[in-house]
């Protein structure tokens, strides 16, 4: 499971480590204490999961052998938005969408905010792999079915009713052109370009060069549906068990957007496209 926050990563909230104890050990002890105090869950094992850009993620096994997934938020600044993301996930789960379930605290809250660590706790989805680079064979049909169920549920969300909007607005070409200009300018004025920077500069120039074609293609689009979306249907947030969708995770706060954009973002996953290009 990846993260629910789009905020840049900051330092963990755990207190400084005492002599002889690493910061990671101190953080795990703080996670254990939060699980006991906020959730009444006594962990037998806590393991850091390396994925996660704005949260610290942990696999937890309790004393009964049940597995859980804990997300520790690195800042308290956006917890209200994080809560709406969890609420959207729960809304979809209530509508039959395959997703992880949040575990409420003893105070029946979706996010623990009162103690040392702000945290959400989730059901663990076992034996899965992400869709990143893995959309092949029967998985295409499975992900299409799951996305249809997801978007049907989100179309009924009270935050916004579906509307039709001009398709040309699905992409702000002028803003994209400005971003590429700034990126290219920054790379060109670096004193030295490494292998990655050289590749990135070339890629930015190539993408900038096709923006005219993109702009012309957008003018040909009909009106497109705008509705509440998952918000981040990238490959890492779609979990497969064999050829079936096990869970769609890591929702963003409910906000309307172009349905076609969200579908294309997953369907045009670069790794999957390249793997199926032969």
């Amino acid at each position: 499971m990846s993260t629910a926050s789009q905020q840049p990563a900051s330092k963990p909230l755990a207190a400084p480590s005492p002599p002889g104890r690493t910061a990671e050990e101190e953080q795990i002890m703080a996670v254990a204490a939060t699980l006991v105090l906020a959730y009444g869950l006594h962990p037998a094992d806590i393991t850091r999961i390396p994925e996660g850009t704005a949260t610290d993620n942990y696999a937890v096994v309790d004393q009964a052998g049940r597995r859980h997934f804990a997300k520790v938020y690195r800042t308290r600044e956006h917890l209200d938005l994080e809560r709406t993301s969890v609420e959207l996930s729960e809304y979809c789960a209530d509508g039959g969408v395959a997703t992880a379930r949040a575990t409420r605290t003893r105070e029946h809250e979706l996010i623990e905010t009162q103690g040392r660590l702000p945290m959400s706790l989730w059901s663990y989805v076992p034996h899965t792999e992400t869709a990143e680079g893995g959309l092949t064979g029967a998985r295409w049909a499975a992900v299409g079915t799951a996305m249809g169920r997801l978007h049907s549920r989100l179309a009924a969300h009270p935050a916004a009713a579906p509307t039709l909007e001009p398709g040309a607005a699905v992409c702000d070409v002028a803003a994209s052109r400005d971003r590429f200009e700034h990126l290219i300018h920054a790379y060109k004025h670096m004193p030295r370009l490494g292998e990655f920077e050289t590749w990135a500069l070339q890629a930015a120039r190539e993408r900038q060069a096709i923006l005219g074609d993109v702009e012309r293609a957008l003018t040909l689009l009909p009106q497109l549906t705008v509705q509440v979306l998952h918000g981040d249907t990238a490959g890492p947030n779609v979990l497969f068990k064999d050829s079936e969708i096990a869970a769609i995770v890591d929702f963003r706060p409910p906000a309307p957007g172009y349905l076609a954009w969200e579908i294309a973002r997953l369907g045009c996953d670069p790794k999957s496209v390249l793997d199926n290009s032969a």
Side-chain angles (χ1 to χ4, degrees):
M1 183 184 293
S2 55
T3 65
S5 172
Q6 291 178 300
Q7 301 303 318
S10 57
K11 292 182 179 179
L13 297 172
S17 302
R21 184 180 294 161
T22 67
E24 183 64 24
E25 289 170 339
E26 181 72 10
Q27 180 82 338
I28 286 178
M29 290 186 67
V31 170
T34 303
L35 290 170
V36 173
L37 294 174
Y39 293 92
L41 187 153
H42 294 268
D45 183 71
I46 301 175
T47 304
R48 176 72 180 270
I49 299 173
E51 291 85 358
T53 56
T55 57
D56 293 325
N57 301 332
Y58 297 88
V60 178
V61 180
D62 64 27
Q63 292 184 344
R66 294 182 295 263
R67 303 182 75 184
H68 312 264
F69 179 89
K71 295 176 67 172
V72 175
Y73 302 97
R74 295 177 182 170
T75 172
R76 296 177 185 269
E77 185 179 358
H78 302 283
L79 290 180
D80 286 344
L81 287 177
E82 299 289 359
R83 187 176 292 104
T84 63
S85 298
V86 180
E87 289 170 349
L88 187 61
S89 178
E90 291 292 284
Y91 173 83
C92 288
D94 289 341
V97 177
T99 187
R101 277 286 192 177
T103 302
R104 291 183 178 266
T105 68
R106 285 175 161 177
E107 301 298 323
H108 207 61
E109 296 291 339
L110 288 170
I111 296 180
E112 160 57 20
T113 61
Q114 301 303 313
R116 180 177 175 184
L117 295 180
M119 175 192 295
S120 59
L121 188 65
W122 301 79
S123 59
Y124 193 87
V125 184
H127 311 302
T128 61
E129 59 180 325
T130 72
E132 188 175 21
L135 290 179
T136 58
R139 288 185 171 186
W140 286 107
V143 78
T145 299
M147 291 284 283
R149 185 174 292 118
L150 169 70
H151 289 139
S152 292
R153 175 62 172 169
L154 291 174
H157 194 277
T163 60
L164 288 174
E165 303 291 343
V170 74
C171 175
D172 188 338
V173 176
S176 296
R177 188 172 282 114
D178 287 342
R179 285 195 295 269
F180 280 121
E181 285 288 349
H182 287 127
L183 185 62
I184 291 169
H185 181 270
Y187 277 126
K188 287 174 64 177
H189 286 79
M190 291 179 66
R192 178 181 175 275
L193 296 182
E195 182 180 356
F196 171 80
E197 290 81 8
T198 301
W199 170 85
L201 175 58
Q202 180 63 27
R205 284 171 168 162
E206 290 176 358
R207 295 182 183 187
Q208 183 192 48
I210 66 172
L211 285 177
D213 293 335
V214 172
E215 193 166 28
R216 286 186 289 274
L218 288 172
T219 63
L220 301 176
L221 289 177
Q223 287 190 314
L224 299 174
T225 299
V226 170
Q227 65 163 74
V228 173
L229 303 176
H230 170 282
D232 192 16
T233 52
N237 294 333
V238 178
L239 305 181
F240 277 98
K241 184 175 182 181
D242 298 324
S243 293
E244 298 298 323
I245 296 290
I248 299 173
V249 299
D250 210 13
F251 286 70
R252 296 292 187 255
Y258 279 92
L259 195 62
W261 173 87
E262 181 151 281
I263 294 170
R265 188 176 182 215
L266 182 60
C268 295
D269 169 60
K271 291 183 180 179
S272 295
V273 170
L274 289 173
D275 287 346
N276 286 275
S277 62

